[in-house]
Amino acid sequence: MTAAPFLAVAPMSARPAAAAAAEVLVDTLADRQTIRGFGGMNHTAWINDLTAAQRDTAFGNGTGQLGFSILRIPVHEDRANWSREVATARRAIEHGAVVIASPWNPPANMVETFVRGSQTDARRLRYNMYGAYAQHLNEFYRFMRDNGVNLYAISVQNEPDYAHEWTWWTPAEMVRFLRENAGSIETRVIAPESFQYVKSFSDPILNDSAAWANVDILGAHLYGTQHRDFPYPLYQQRRQGKELWMTEVYHPNSSDSADLWPQALDVGEHIHRALVDGQFQTYVWWYIRRSYGPMREDGQISKRGANMAHFAKFIRPGYVRIDMAPTPQANVFTSAYRGGSRIVIVAINKGTSQVNQQFTLENSSASSVSSWVTDANRNLALQSRMTLPNDTFTGVLPARSVTTFVAE
C-alpha cells in the first residue's frame, strides 16, 4: 500500500484506448436488498487488540481508511475477558459502525461432553441450561451497553455445525432454543451462522414459525461455499422482513499474503457474488488485521483490503442495491447501489486486457461521475471526473482491476 498512495489523480490522457462494449442499463428505481455494511472481526483473546490508529483505519472513512461499518466481537465464555472488547467496539461506534457479537462456547458449567463420531470430547449446551444460556447472552449485552457499546445483534452460536474446537448444536437443538428461549434475548438475534451456509441447518429454522419468529437476522458464513449455492430461495419465500447477513469469511485462503496481485481481485469478485447472487446485506471478514486480511500486521491496508474498501467506503449503510447486468462482458463483474440521489457502481475486470464499459443511468438526476481504481500499481486512485451527457458514461476498466464509480 505504501508504494501507491490513496486518491492519487490519473489524468485522462494517461488512459490507453479500448473498444467500448454494449451499454449496461442501471435502473435506479429497481430495488433489490438494502445494504447494512461491511466489516470484520476483533478477537482479543486470540490476537492482540487493534491499536488506536488501527481502529481509525478500519472504521474511519477518510483517505487511507477502510470505511468499515460493522465490527464483530466474541462473547467470551469467561466474563473476565468481556472488558477486553470494549475499547475497539466503542471506537467503532464513534465512527458510526454497528457491533455484533458471537459466542464460541457457553460458560463451562453449562456444557457437557458427549461422543460425536470419532470425537469423544465433543461439547454441547446442557438441555437444562438453555434458559441460563439466554441470560448469559443478556448479561453480555448489558455489560457492553453499560460500557458504551449498544450491541446491534447477538448470535446464538458461531458455526454450530463445524465445532470440533467449540460447542456443537444440531438443527433440532437450535430450533428448540430459538422457540423456547431466544424470545427473552434483549437485542436482535442472529442464527444459525453455519460455517458453509449449509441449508439443511437453516431450513428447519425457516420452516418452524415459532423459531423463526424469534430470529431477526439469518446469519451465514461462506467458507468454501460454491457460488451456485449462494442463492437461498426458501429464505426469500419466508423472510418476513428479516435480514440476511454474511457474518464471517476469509477468501480465497489464509495462507497467501493479502497483497498478492491479481489474486486479491478474488475478494472483489467474492463480495460481488455475495451481494448479487446471494443477496446478502453485509459482508464481514474474519480478523481485521492479519497477513491475509484487509489490514496487514503493520496497520497498512492490503490489496485485499483495497478490494473491500471499493465497496465499504462508497456503499454506506442503508444504500440499496439496484438492478443492472452482473456480467456485461467476459471477466467483468458489475453491481450498482443507490443512496439518496447518489449512484454507486463497482466494476471488477479480471481479464488481462483493459476494456471500456458504457453505463446508462435510468431515472437519475446525476450530472457527473467520480471514480477510483485499484490495480497492480494503484490503490483507490482517484480518476478525473466525467460528465453525464444523456445520462451515459463510459468507464475505463484497466486490466485486472476494480473500479468504483460514484454518480451524483
Coordinates of all heavy atoms in Angstrom, one line a residue, residues 71-144:
L71 N -18.5 -4.1 13.2 CA -17.5 -4.8 14.0 C -18.1 -6.0 14.6 O -19.2 -5.9 15.2 CB -16.9 -3.9 15.1 CG -16.1 -4.6 16.1 CD1 -14.8 -5.1 15.5 CD2 -15.8 -3.7 17.3
R72 N -17.5 -7.2 14.4 CA -17.9 -8.4 15.1 C -17.0 -8.7 16.2 O -15.7 -8.7 16.0 CB -18.0 -9.5 14.1 CG -18.5 -10.9 14.6 CD -18.8 -11.8 13.4 NE -19.2 -13.1 13.9 CZ -18.5 -14.3 13.8 NH1 -17.3 -14.2 13.2 NH2 -19.0 -15.4 14.2
I73 N -17.5 -9.1 17.4 CA -16.7 -9.4 18.5 C -17.2 -10.7 19.1 O -18.3 -11.1 18.8 CB -16.7 -8.3 19.6 CG1 -18.1 -8.1 20.1 CG2 -16.1 -7.0 19.1 CD1 -18.2 -7.1 21.3
P74 N -16.3 -11.4 19.9 CA -16.8 -12.6 20.6 C -17.5 -12.4 21.9 O -17.3 -11.4 22.5 CB -15.5 -13.4 20.8 CG -14.5 -12.3 21.1 CD -14.9 -11.1 20.2
V75 N -18.4 -13.3 22.2 CA -19.0 -13.4 23.6 C -18.1 -14.4 24.3 O -18.3 -15.6 24.2 CB -20.5 -13.8 23.5 CG1 -21.0 -13.8 25.0 CG2 -21.3 -12.9 22.6
H76 N -17.1 -13.9 25.0 CA -16.2 -14.8 25.7 C -17.0 -15.6 26.8 O -17.9 -15.0 27.5 CB -15.1 -14.0 26.4 CG -14.2 -13.3 25.5 ND1 -13.3 -13.9 24.6 CD2 -14.1 -11.9 25.2 CE1 -12.7 -13.0 23.9 NE2 -13.2 -11.8 24.3
E77 N -16.7 -16.9 26.9 CA -17.4 -17.7 27.9 C -17.0 -17.3 29.3 O -17.7 -17.4 30.3 CB -17.1 -19.2 27.7 CG -15.6 -19.6 27.7 CD -15.1 -19.7 26.2 OE1 -15.5 -18.9 25.4 OE2 -14.3 -20.6 26.0
D78 N -15.7 -16.7 29.4 CA -15.2 -16.2 30.7 C -15.5 -14.7 30.8 O -14.9 -13.9 30.0 CB -13.7 -16.5 30.8 CG -13.1 -16.1 32.2 OD1 -13.9 -15.4 33.0 OD2 -12.0 -16.4 32.4
R79 N -16.4 -14.3 31.6 CA -16.8 -12.9 31.7 C -15.6 -12.0 32.1 O -15.7 -10.8 31.9 CB -18.0 -12.7 32.6 CG -17.7 -12.9 34.1 CD -19.0 -12.7 34.9 NE -20.1 -13.6 34.4 CZ -21.3 -13.1 34.1 NH1 -21.6 -11.8 34.2 NH2 -22.2 -14.0 33.7
A80 N -14.5 -12.6 32.6 CA -13.4 -11.7 33.0 C -12.7 -11.1 31.7 O -12.0 -10.2 31.8 CB -12.3 -12.6 33.7
N81 N -13.0 -11.7 30.5 CA -12.5 -11.2 29.3 C -13.4 -10.2 28.6 O -13.0 -9.7 27.6 CB -12.2 -12.4 28.3 CG -11.0 -13.2 28.8 OD1 -10.1 -12.7 29.3 ND2 -11.1 -14.5 28.6
W82 N -14.6 -10.0 29.1 CA -15.5 -9.1 28.4 C -15.0 -7.7 28.2 O -15.2 -7.1 27.1 CB -16.8 -9.1 29.1 CG -17.6 -10.4 29.1 CD1 -17.3 -11.5 28.4 CD2 -18.9 -10.6 29.7 NE1 -18.2 -12.5 28.5 CE2 -19.2 -12.0 29.3 CE3 -19.7 -9.9 30.5 CZ2 -20.4 -12.6 29.8 CZ3 -20.9 -10.5 30.9 CH2 -21.3 -11.8 30.6
S83 N -14.3 -7.2 29.2 CA -13.8 -5.8 29.1 C -12.8 -5.6 28.0 O -12.6 -4.5 27.5 CB -13.3 -5.4 30.4 OG -12.2 -6.2 30.8
R84 N -12.2 -6.7 27.5 CA -11.1 -6.6 26.5 C -11.7 -6.1 25.2 O -10.9 -5.6 24.4 CB -10.4 -8.0 26.4 CG -9.8 -8.5 27.6 CD -9.2 -9.9 27.5 NE -8.2 -9.9 26.4 CZ -7.3 -10.9 26.4 NH1 -7.3 -11.9 27.3 NH2 -6.4 -10.9 25.4
E85 N -13.0 -6.3 25.0 CA -13.6 -6.0 23.7 C -14.1 -4.5 23.6 O -14.6 -4.1 22.6 CB -14.7 -7.0 23.3 CG -14.3 -8.4 23.3 CD -13.1 -8.8 22.4 OE1 -13.0 -8.0 21.4 OE2 -12.4 -9.7 22.6
V86 N -14.1 -3.9 24.8 CA -14.8 -2.6 24.9 C -14.1 -1.5 24.0 O -14.8 -0.7 23.3 CB -14.9 -2.2 26.3 CG1 -15.5 -0.7 26.4 CG2 -15.9 -3.1 27.1
A87 N -12.8 -1.3 24.1 CA -12.2 -0.1 23.5 C -12.4 -0.1 22.0 O -12.8 1.0 21.5 CB -10.7 -0.1 23.9
T88 N -12.1 -1.1 21.3 CA -12.3 -1.1 19.9 C -13.8 -1.0 19.5 O -14.1 -0.2 18.6 CB -11.7 -2.4 19.3 OG1 -10.3 -2.3 19.4 CG2 -12.1 -2.5 17.8
A89 N -14.7 -1.6 20.3 CA -16.1 -1.5 20.0 C -16.6 -0.1 20.2 O -17.4 0.4 19.4 CB -16.9 -2.5 20.9
R90 N -16.1 0.6 21.2 CA -16.6 1.9 21.5 C -16.1 2.9 20.3 O -16.8 3.7 19.9 CB -16.1 2.4 22.8 CG -16.8 1.8 24.0 CD -16.3 2.3 25.3 NE -16.5 3.7 25.5 CZ -16.2 4.4 26.6 NH1 -15.7 3.7 27.7 NH2 -16.5 5.7 26.7
R91 N -14.8 2.7 19.9 CA -14.3 3.5 18.8 C -15.1 3.2 17.5 O -15.3 4.2 16.7 CB -12.8 3.3 18.6 CG -12.2 4.3 17.7 CD -12.4 5.7 18.1 NE -11.7 6.7 17.2 CZ -12.1 7.9 17.1 NH1 -13.2 8.4 17.7 NH2 -11.5 8.7 16.3
A92 N -15.4 2.0 17.2 CA -16.1 1.7 16.0 C -17.5 2.4 16.1 O -17.9 3.0 15.0 CB -16.3 0.2 15.9
I93 N -18.2 2.4 17.2 CA -19.4 3.1 17.3 C -19.3 4.6 17.1 O -20.1 5.2 16.5 CB -20.1 2.7 18.6 CG1 -20.6 1.3 18.6 CG2 -21.2 3.7 19.0 CD1 -21.2 0.8 19.9
E94 N -18.2 5.1 17.6 CA -17.9 6.6 17.5 C -17.8 6.9 16.0 O -18.1 8.0 15.6 CB -16.7 7.0 18.2 CG -16.9 7.0 19.8 CD -15.6 7.1 20.5 OE1 -14.5 7.2 19.9 OE2 -15.7 7.2 21.8
H95 N -17.3 6.0 15.2 CA -17.2 6.2 13.8 C -18.5 5.9 13.0 O -18.6 6.0 11.8 CB -16.1 5.3 13.2 CG -14.7 5.9 13.3 ND1 -14.4 7.1 12.7 CD2 -13.7 5.5 14.0 CE1 -13.1 7.4 13.0 NE2 -12.7 6.4 13.8
G96 N -19.6 5.5 13.8 CA -20.9 5.2 13.1 C -21.1 3.7 12.8 O -22.1 3.4 12.2
A97 N -20.2 2.8 13.2 CA -20.4 1.4 12.9 C -21.4 0.8 13.9 O -21.7 1.3 15.0 CB -19.0 0.7 13.0
V98 N -21.9 -0.4 13.6 CA -22.6 -1.2 14.5 C -21.8 -2.4 14.9 O -20.8 -2.8 14.2 CB -23.9 -1.7 13.9 CG1 -24.9 -0.6 13.5 CG2 -23.7 -2.7 12.7
V99 N -22.1 -2.9 16.1 CA -21.3 -4.0 16.7 C -22.2 -5.2 16.9 O -23.3 -5.1 17.5 CB -20.7 -3.6 18.1 CG1 -19.9 -4.8 18.6 CG2 -19.8 -2.4 17.9
I100 N -21.8 -6.4 16.4 CA -22.5 -7.6 16.6 C -21.5 -8.6 17.4 O -20.3 -8.4 17.4 CB -23.0 -8.3 15.3 CG1 -21.8 -8.6 14.4 CG2 -23.9 -7.3 14.6 CD1 -22.1 -9.4 13.1
A101 N -22.1 -9.6 18.0 CA -21.3 -10.5 18.9 C -21.7 -11.9 18.6 O -22.9 -12.2 18.4 CB -21.5 -10.1 20.3
S102 N -20.7 -12.8 18.7 CA -21.0 -14.3 18.5 C -20.3 -15.1 19.6 O -19.1 -14.8 19.8 CB -20.5 -14.7 17.1 OG -21.2 -14.1 16.1
P103 N -20.9 -16.0 20.2 CA -20.3 -16.9 21.2 C -19.7 -18.2 20.5 O -20.2 -18.7 19.5 CB -21.4 -17.3 22.1 CG -22.6 -17.3 21.2 CD -22.4 -16.3 20.2
W104 N -18.5 -18.6 21.0 CA -17.9 -19.9 20.6 C -18.3 -21.0 21.6 O -18.5 -22.1 21.2 CB -16.4 -19.7 20.5 CG -15.9 -19.3 19.2 CD1 -15.2 -20.1 18.3 CD2 -16.1 -18.0 18.5 NE1 -14.9 -19.4 17.2 CE2 -15.5 -18.1 17.2 CE3 -16.7 -16.9 18.8 CZ2 -15.4 -17.1 16.3 CZ3 -16.7 -15.8 17.9 CH2 -16.1 -15.9 16.7
N105 N -18.4 -20.6 22.9 CA -18.7 -21.6 23.9 C -19.6 -20.9 25.0 O -19.4 -19.7 25.3 CB -17.5 -22.2 24.6 CG -16.7 -23.0 23.7 OD1 -17.1 -24.1 23.2 ND2 -15.4 -22.6 23.4
P106 N -20.5 -21.6 25.6 CA -21.2 -21.2 26.8 C -20.2 -21.2 28.0 O -19.1 -21.9 27.9 CB -22.3 -22.1 27.0 CG -22.5 -22.9 25.8 CD -21.1 -22.9 25.2
P107 N -20.5 -20.7 29.1 CA -19.7 -20.9 30.3 C -19.6 -22.4 30.6 O -20.5 -23.2 30.3 CB -20.5 -20.2 31.4 CG -21.3 -19.1 30.7 CD -21.6 -19.7 29.4
A108 N -18.4 -22.7 31.2 CA -18.1 -24.2 31.4 C -19.1 -24.9 32.2 O -19.4 -26.1 31.9 CB -16.7 -24.3 32.1
N109 N -19.8 -24.3 33.1 CA -20.8 -25.0 34.0 C -22.0 -25.3 33.2 O -22.9 -26.1 33.7 CB -21.1 -24.2 35.2 CG -21.9 -22.9 34.9 OD1 -21.4 -22.1 34.1 ND2 -23.0 -22.7 35.5
M110 N -22.2 -24.8 32.0 CA -23.4 -25.0 31.2 C -23.2 -26.1 30.2 O -24.1 -26.5 29.4 CB -23.9 -23.8 30.5 CG -24.3 -22.6 31.4 SD -24.9 -21.2 30.5 CE -25.0 -20.0 31.8
V111 N -22.0 -26.6 30.1 CA -21.6 -27.5 29.0 C -21.4 -29.0 29.5 O -21.0 -29.2 30.6 CB -20.3 -27.0 28.3 CG1 -19.8 -28.0 27.3 CG2 -20.5 -25.6 27.7
E112 N -21.8 -29.9 28.6 CA -21.5 -31.3 28.9 C -20.7 -31.9 27.7 O -20.8 -31.3 26.6 CB -22.7 -32.1 29.1 CG -23.7 -32.2 28.0 CD -25.0 -32.9 28.3 OE1 -25.1 -33.3 29.4 OE2 -25.8 -33.1 27.4
T113 N -20.0 -33.0 27.9 CA -19.3 -33.6 26.8 C -20.1 -34.8 26.3 O -20.9 -35.4 27.1 CB -17.9 -34.0 27.2 OG1 -17.9 -34.9 28.3 CG2 -17.0 -32.8 27.5
F114 N -19.9 -35.2 25.1 CA -20.6 -36.4 24.5 C -19.7 -36.9 23.4 O -18.8 -36.3 23.0 CB -22.0 -36.0 24.1 CG -22.1 -35.1 22.8 CD1 -22.4 -35.7 21.6 CD2 -21.7 -33.8 22.9 CE1 -22.5 -34.9 20.5 CE2 -21.8 -33.0 21.8 CZ -22.2 -33.5 20.6
V115 N -20.1 -38.1 22.9 CA -19.4 -38.7 21.8 C -20.1 -38.4 20.5 O -21.3 -38.6 20.3 CB -19.3 -40.2 22.0 CG1 -18.7 -40.9 20.8 CG2 -18.6 -40.6 23.3
R116 N -19.3 -37.8 19.6 CA -19.8 -37.4 18.3 C -18.9 -38.0 17.2 O -17.8 -37.5 16.9 CB -19.9 -35.9 18.1 CG -20.6 -35.5 16.8 CD -20.5 -34.0 16.7 NE -21.3 -33.5 15.6 CZ -20.9 -33.5 14.3 NH1 -19.6 -33.9 14.0 NH2 -21.6 -33.0 13.3
G117 N -19.3 -39.2 16.7 CA -18.5 -39.9 15.7 C -17.2 -40.3 16.4 O -17.2 -41.0 17.5
S118 N -16.0 -39.9 15.9 CA -14.7 -40.2 16.5 C -14.3 -39.2 17.5 O -13.3 -39.4 18.2 CB -13.7 -40.3 15.4 OG -13.6 -39.0 14.7
Q119 N -15.1 -38.2 17.7 CA -14.7 -37.2 18.7 C -15.4 -37.6 20.1 O -16.6 -37.5 20.3 CB -15.2 -35.8 18.3 CG -14.7 -34.7 19.2 CD -15.2 -33.3 18.8 OE1 -15.9 -33.1 17.8 NE2 -14.8 -32.3 19.6
T120 N -14.6 -37.9 21.0 CA -15.1 -38.4 22.3 C -15.3 -37.3 23.3 O -15.9 -37.5 24.4 CB -14.1 -39.4 22.9 OG1 -12.8 -38.8 23.1 CG2 -14.0 -40.7 22.0
D121 N -14.8 -36.1 23.0 CA -14.9 -35.0 24.0 C -15.7 -33.8 23.3 O -15.4 -32.7 23.6 CB -13.5 -34.5 24.4 CG -12.7 -34.0 23.3 OD1 -13.0 -34.3 22.1 OD2 -11.6 -33.4 23.6
A122 N -16.6 -34.2 22.5 CA -17.5 -33.1 21.9 C -18.3 -32.4 22.9 O -18.6 -33.0 24.0 CB -18.4 -33.7 20.8
R123 N -18.5 -31.1 22.7 CA -19.2 -30.3 23.7 C -20.6 -29.9 23.2 O -20.7 -29.6 22.0 CB -18.4 -29.0 24.0 CG -17.2 -29.3 25.0 CD -16.3 -28.1 25.1 NE -15.5 -27.9 23.9 CZ -14.6 -27.0 23.8 NH1 -14.4 -26.1 24.7 NH2 -13.8 -26.9 22.7
R124 N -21.5 -29.8 24.1 CA -22.8 -29.2 23.8 C -23.4 -28.6 25.0 O -23.0 -28.9 26.2 CB -23.8 -30.3 23.3 CG -24.2 -31.3 24.3 CD -25.1 -32.4 23.7 NE -25.3 -33.5 24.6 CZ -25.6 -34.8 24.3 NH1 -25.7 -35.0 23.0 NH2 -25.8 -35.7 25.2
L125 N -24.3 -27.7 24.8 CA -25.0 -27.0 25.9 C -26.0 -28.0 26.5 O -26.8 -28.6 25.8 CB -25.8 -25.8 25.3 CG -26.6 -24.9 26.3 CD1 -25.7 -24.2 27.3 CD2 -27.5 -23.9 25.5
R126 N -25.9 -28.1 27.8 CA -26.8 -29.0 28.6 C -28.3 -28.5 28.4 O -28.6 -27.3 28.4 CB -26.4 -29.0 30.0 CG -25.1 -29.7 30.3 CD -24.5 -29.4 31.7 NE -25.5 -29.5 32.7 CZ -25.3 -29.0 34.0 NH1 -24.2 -28.4 34.3 NH2 -26.3 -29.2 34.9
Y127 N -29.2 -29.5 28.2 CA -30.5 -29.1 27.9 C -31.2 -28.3 29.0 O -32.0 -27.5 28.8 CB -31.4 -30.4 27.6 CG -31.1 -31.0 26.3 CD1 -31.6 -32.2 25.9 CD2 -30.3 -30.4 25.3 CE1 -31.4 -32.8 24.7 CE2 -30.1 -30.9 24.1 CZ -30.6 -32.2 23.8 OH -30.4 -32.8 22.6
N128 N -30.8 -28.6 30.2 CA -31.4 -27.8 31.4 C -30.8 -26.5 31.6 O -31.1 -25.8 32.6 CB -31.3 -28.7 32.6 CG -29.9 -28.9 33.1 OD1 -29.0 -28.6 32.4 ND2 -29.8 -29.4 34.4
M129 N -29.9 -26.1 30.7 CA -29.2 -24.8 30.8 C -29.6 -23.8 29.7 O -29.0 -22.7 29.5 CB -27.7 -25.0 30.8 CG -27.1 -25.5 32.1 SD -27.3 -24.3 33.4 CE -26.6 -25.2 34.8
Y130 N -30.6 -24.1 28.9 CA -31.0 -23.3 27.8 C -31.4 -21.9 28.3 O -31.0 -20.9 27.7 CB -32.1 -23.9 26.9 CG -31.6 -24.9 25.9 CD1 -30.4 -25.7 26.1 CD2 -32.3 -25.1 24.7 CE1 -30.0 -26.6 25.2 CE2 -31.8 -26.0 23.8 CZ -30.7 -26.8 24.0 OH -30.3 -27.7 23.1
G131 N -32.2 -21.9 29.3 CA -32.7 -20.6 29.8 C -31.5 -19.8 30.4 O -31.4 -18.6 30.2
A132 N -30.6 -20.5 31.1 CA -29.4 -19.8 31.7 C -28.5 -19.3 30.7 O -27.9 -18.2 30.8 CB -28.7 -20.8 32.7
Y133 N -28.4 -20.0 29.5 CA -27.6 -19.5 28.5 C -28.1 -18.2 27.8 O -27.4 -17.3 27.5 CB -27.4 -20.6 27.4 CG -26.6 -20.3 26.2 CD1 -25.2 -19.9 26.4 CD2 -27.1 -20.3 24.9 CE1 -24.4 -19.6 25.3 CE2 -26.3 -20.0 23.8 CZ -25.0 -19.6 24.0 OH -24.2 -19.3 23.0
A134 N -29.5 -18.2 27.6 CA -30.1 -17.0 27.1 C -29.8 -15.8 28.1 O -29.5 -14.7 27.6 CB -31.6 -17.1 27.0
Q135 N -29.8 -16.0 29.4 CA -29.4 -14.9 30.3 C -28.0 -14.6 30.2 O -27.6 -13.4 30.5 CB -29.9 -15.3 31.7 CG -31.4 -15.4 31.9 CD -32.1 -14.1 31.3 OE1 -31.7 -13.0 31.8 NE2 -33.0 -14.3 30.4
H136 N -27.1 -15.6 30.0 CA -25.7 -15.3 29.8 C -25.5 -14.3 28.6 O -24.7 -13.3 28.7 CB -24.9 -16.6 29.5 CG -23.5 -16.5 29.0 ND1 -22.5 -16.0 29.8 CD2 -23.0 -16.7 27.8 CE1 -21.4 -16.0 29.1 NE2 -21.7 -16.4 27.8
L137 N -26.2 -14.6 27.5 CA -26.1 -13.6 26.4 C -26.7 -12.3 26.8 O -26.1 -11.2 26.4 CB -26.9 -14.2 25.2 CG -26.4 -15.6 24.6 CD1 -27.3 -16.0 23.5 CD2 -24.9 -15.5 24.2
N138 N -27.7 -12.2 27.5 CA -28.3 -10.9 28.0 C -27.3 -10.2 28.9 O -27.1 -9.0 28.8 CB -29.6 -11.2 28.8 CG -30.8 -11.2 27.8 OD1 -30.7 -10.7 26.7 ND2 -31.8 -11.9 28.3
E139 N -26.6 -11.0 29.8 CA -25.6 -10.3 30.6 C -24.5 -9.7 29.9 O -24.0 -8.6 30.2 CB -25.1 -11.3 31.7 CG -26.1 -11.7 32.7 CD -25.8 -12.9 33.5 OE1 -24.6 -13.4 33.4 OE2 -26.6 -13.4 34.2
F140 N -24.0 -10.4 28.8 CA -23.0 -9.8 27.9 C -23.5 -8.5 27.3 O -22.9 -7.5 27.2 CB -22.5 -10.8 26.9 CG -21.5 -10.2 26.0 CD1 -20.2 -10.2 26.4 CD2 -21.8 -9.8 24.7 CE1 -19.1 -9.7 25.6 CE2 -20.8 -9.3 23.9 CZ -19.5 -9.2 24.3
Y141 N -24.8 -8.6 26.7 CA -25.4 -7.4 26.1 C -25.4 -6.2 27.1 O -25.1 -5.1 26.8 CB -26.8 -7.8 25.6 CG -27.6 -6.6 25.3 CD1 -27.4 -5.8 24.1 CD2 -28.6 -6.1 26.2 CE1 -28.2 -4.7 23.8 CE2 -29.4 -5.0 25.9 CZ -29.2 -4.3 24.7 OH -29.9 -3.2 24.4
R142 N -25.9 -6.5 28.3 CA -26.0 -5.4 29.3 C -24.6 -4.9 29.7 O -24.4 -3.7 29.9 CB -26.7 -5.9 30.6 CG -28.2 -6.3 30.3 CD -28.7 -7.0 31.5 NE -30.0 -7.7 31.2 CZ -30.4 -8.8 31.8 NH1 -29.7 -9.3 32.8 NH2 -31.6 -9.3 31.5
F143 N -23.6 -5.8 29.8 CA -22.3 -5.3 30.2 C -21.7 -4.4 29.1 O -21.2 -3.3 29.4 CB -21.3 -6.5 30.3 CG -19.9 -6.1 30.5 CD1 -19.4 -5.9 31.8 CD2 -19.0 -6.0 29.4 CE1 -18.0 -5.5 32.0 CE2 -17.7 -5.6 29.6 CZ -17.2 -5.4 30.9
M144 N -21.9 -4.8 27.9 CA -21.4 -3.9 26.8 C -22.2 -2.6 26.7 O -21.6 -1.5 26.6 CB -21.5 -4.6 25.4 CG -20.6 -5.9 25.3 SD -18.9 -5.6 25.6 CE -18.5 -4.6 24.1

